[in-house]
Amino acid sequence: MKLLLTGGQIGGIIAGAVIGLLLIVIVCWAIATRNKFVLLENQYEEAFHNIDIYLKKRYDLIPNLVETVKGYAKHEQETIQNVIEARARAQSASTPAEKIEANAQLTQTMRGFNMVIEQYPELKANTNFLDLQDQLKNIEYELANVRKYYNATIKLFNTKIRTFPASIIAGTMHLEKQPYFEIEDPEERKNVKVQF
């Protein structure tokens, strides 16, 4: 016995096949998009951990600088205490947003600390102090580089979670926009003035 299909049955089979294929494509896209979000999350978390490494080096170096300056600048206890407190706040910050804010405050406090140092020429001639200052400069340079990488990964992540149709998957994963590691102080954004 031969089965003869009518035009309506053939159309139904084709429609079912198209719908099935479309569902497979959508499921594959959803899985690929979710995996991309997981990859992007891991990238920005890794980038932030790299920042943490340099921040720890910075935190470890600051007490050595403070102790060296204490010997020369006994009258600057308030400035020295401000540096110690800002360092403690930065070390105790736990979330990326808290760390970004605390480190902006530490950077501002260190700027005041550097102004104090300028008042003591004999301190600037101390080889131990110069070595510590050089180490801090290198750490700040590396920190700037890892911040750039972090911000680049955050840009990719934030763009992806807000772009349609990927934003649908981002919503189901409860992903939120992440903060950049930015310069908070408007003074840091200005051009450096060099005079001779």
Side-chain angles (χ1 to χ4, degrees):
M1 172 176 193
K2 284 186 167 180
L3 282 176
L4 295 174
L5 299 175
T6 64
Q9 291 172 327
I10 293 173
I13 292 171
I14 292 173
V18 168
I19 290 172
L21 184 61
L22 188 59
L23 285 175
I24 290 171
V25 167
I26 290 171
V27 168
C28 288
W29 168 82
I31 291 170
T33 302
R34 186 182 190 297
N35 289 342
K36 180 68 174 177
F37 282 131
V38 170
L39 174 73
L40 290 172
E41 276 186 308
N42 287 337
Q43 281 180 331
Y44 81 69
E45 286 172 0
E46 175 196 12
F48 198 81
H49 291 302
N50 288 339
I51 290 174
D52 262 349
I53 290 167
Y54 286 101
L55 290 177
K56 177 154 180 18
K57 287 181 180 182
R58 182 189 200 197
Y59 303 150
D60 291 347
L61 191 60
I62 289 172
N64 295 333
L65 275 169
V66 167
E67 286 304 313
T68 303
V69 171
K70 271 185 184 178
Y72 288 89
K74 292 180 175 41
H75 303 85
E76 307 292 346
Q77 287 303 315
E78 183 181 347
T79 303
I80 291 170
Q81 188 61 35
N82 289 342
V83 170
I84 292 168
E85 289 170 4
R87 175 185 174 262
R89 280 191 303 274
Q91 278 187 303
S92 65
S94 57
T95 67
E98 289 173 356
K99 285 185 185 216
I100 290 168
E101 183 179 333
N103 277 285
Q105 291 173 354
L106 177 59
T107 299
Q108 183 66 29
T109 305
M110 289 299 291
R111 189 172 293 112
F113 185 69
N114 288 333
M115 284 195 237
V116 166
I117 292 167
E118 292 297 319
Q119 299 172 17
Y120 297 91
E122 65 278 2
L123 175 62
K124 293 191 301 185
N126 179 307
T127 55
N128 185 38
F129 175 75
L130 292 175
D131 180 51
L132 291 170
Q133 224 178 8
D134 193 43
Q135 288 178 44
L136 185 60
K137 186 188 308 179
N138 290 335
I139 289 170
E140 293 295 335
Y141 175 76
E142 293 299 326
L143 190 53
N145 286 333
V146 295
R147 282 178 182 160
K148 284 183 210 173
Y149 176 69
Y150 171 79
N151 284 341
T153 61
I154 289 299
K155 179 182 175 187
L156 286 172
F157 179 79
N158 287 344
T159 301
K160 185 81 172 165
I161 67 169
R162 298 177 72 202
T163 305
F164 183 80
S167 60
I168 296 168
I169 303 297
T172 64
M173 294 175 69
H174 307 289
L175 299 177
E176 295 179 4
K177 188 176 177 187
Q178 296 299 309
Y180 288 98
F181 213 125
E182 295 180 302
I183 296 173
E184 299 285 327
D185 184 10
E187 289 298 313
E188 286 185 62
R189 295 177 194 261
K190 294 181 181 176
N191 287 335
V192 177
K193 189 186 248 184
V194 179
Q195 294 178 337
F196 295 101

